[in-house]
Amino acid sequence: MTKYSTDQRKKILNFFSTHPHEIFSARQIFDMLDDSHISISTIYRNLSELEKAGKITRCNKAGTREAFFKYTHLEECKHCIHLSCKKCGKIFHMDKAQSDDLISKTAQNEQFFIEQTDSVLYGVCGNCQHCK
Amino acid sequence: MTKYSTDQRKKILNFFSTHPHEIFSARQIFDMLDDSHISISTIYRNLSELEKAGKITRCNKAGTREAFFKYTHLEECKHCIHLSCKKCGKIFHMDKAQSDDLISKTAQNEQFFIEQTDSVLYGVCGNCQHCK
DNA sequence: CTAGTTGCAAAGAGTTTGCATGGCG
DNA sequence: CGCCATGCAAACTCTTTGCAACTAG
């Protein structure tokens, strides 16, 4: 679907690749790329394209109504569960061994087949735990 | 905050208690209680009240923009991680022992403190796994 | 009686879409 | 030069809110 490489597209993808461990809403990206004057509809259209292309992943953030997106640059992103800090918004990766263990145990014990890609656990990260 | 017991309130809560293992959006409840002619704003206001009162819990559903709610009738709901089936929308409870294990291991290994209440893992349940 | 609750319609947030213009290849 | 992408504004969806009418206690 994506045929041309436009300036706007490059800037949006570049933004994600330079912030690989955080999640962002369309509005946040719009604001942070303010000096590029990219229209909000272009942001939305590109986020959808990038999502379809598998370069970013759509996810929810507890207590918000907006869609959030995170960069999926790493192979590991596809093979482990994500942890999202409610305070700073950063994304962490659960240890692969533990992810796998959880998934297989849940399949066995509960007959439930977790899909890592869509699954985000919420909580507070070590950093934010310290500062009140 | 909830002082009076109105007909609308009773019907909404009753709806949840008779569907304890599924999640619903405001619109779905509105449609399913159609013959009671409860206005959509009353649905929303009561969902907020019931949430504050701890009788239902707000949660996200992957790939949707709406808020979903589930009945929190059980004590166990407050102490374990939830599993949401992407196909049928039903909610399952992860075994408490496994929930606890996961939370303490993640705290240790990753320095990340999961909050059960907000955390929903997505996947496919045993039932839906069988039917394609 | 009177304060909480409802219904309606209007306002708000977030997101999508139609259409003319612009720019990549 | 042709088609895709962009920008703008309007439309849409989900949710909240103001206000007058209604009702539980």
Side-chain angles (χ1 to χ4, degrees), chain B residues 3-4 6 8-9 37 39 41-42 45 65:
Chain B
K3 295 275 176 75
Y4 296 168
T6 64
Q8 290 90 331
R9 195 117 74 203
H37 300 299
S39 78
S41 14
T42 296
R45 281 193 267 236
R65 210 160 22 277

Side-chain angles (χ1 to χ4, degrees), chain B residues 2 9 12-13 16 43 45-57 72:
Chain B
T2 302
R9 195 117 74 203
I12 295 171
L13 187 55
F16 276 104
I43 304 269
R45 281 193 267 236
N46 275 294
L47 288 176
S48 296
E49 294 299 329
L50 290 171
E51 186 196 10
K52 277 185 209 150
K55 297 199 173 142
I56 60 175
T57 307
T72 45

Side-chain angles (χ1 to χ4, degrees), chain A residues 8-38:
Chain A
Q8 290 90 330
R9 195 116 74 203
K10 277 181 237 163
K11 277 181 175 144
I12 294 171
L13 188 54
N14 179 62
F15 176 79
F16 276 104
S17 67
T18 53
H19 298 80
H21 298 297
E22 282 169 83
I23 61 177
F24 301 97
S25 67
R27 171 65 48 178
Q28 287 176 313
I29 295 164
F30 177 75
D31 289 340
M32 298 186 80
L33 295 179
D34 187 42
D35 21 332
S36 305
H37 299 298
I38 304 176

Side-chain angles (χ1 to χ4, degrees), chain A residues 75-90:
Chain A
E75 251 316 287
E76 55 169 326
C77 274
K78 294 170 191 154
H79 302 296
C80 65
I81 289 169
H82 291 84
L83 305 167
S84 168
C85 177
K86 290 169 70 178
K87 296 206 176 159
C88 66
K90 285 193 183 150

Side-chain angles (χ1 to χ4, degrees), chain A residues 59-100:
Chain A
C59 55
N60 306 103
K61 186 169 173 181
T64 62
R65 212 162 15 280
E66 298 166 273
F68 282 78
F69 297 86
K70 68 175 163 52
Y71 193 48
T72 44
H73 62 311
L74 303 165
E75 251 316 287
E76 55 169 326
C77 274
K78 294 170 191 154
H79 302 296
C80 65
I81 289 169
H82 291 84
L83 305 167
S84 168
C85 177
K86 290 169 70 178
K87 296 206 176 159
C88 66
K90 285 193 183 150
I91 297 284
F92 301 86
H93 295 91
M94 187 185 289
D95 176 70
K96 184 168 186 326
Q98 198 184 335
S99 268
D100 288 349

Side-chain angles (χ1 to χ4, degrees), chain A residues 4-5 26 41 44-45 65-67:
Chain A
Y4 297 166
S5 168
S41 13
Y44 276 110
R45 279 192 267 237
R65 212 162 15 280
E66 298 166 273

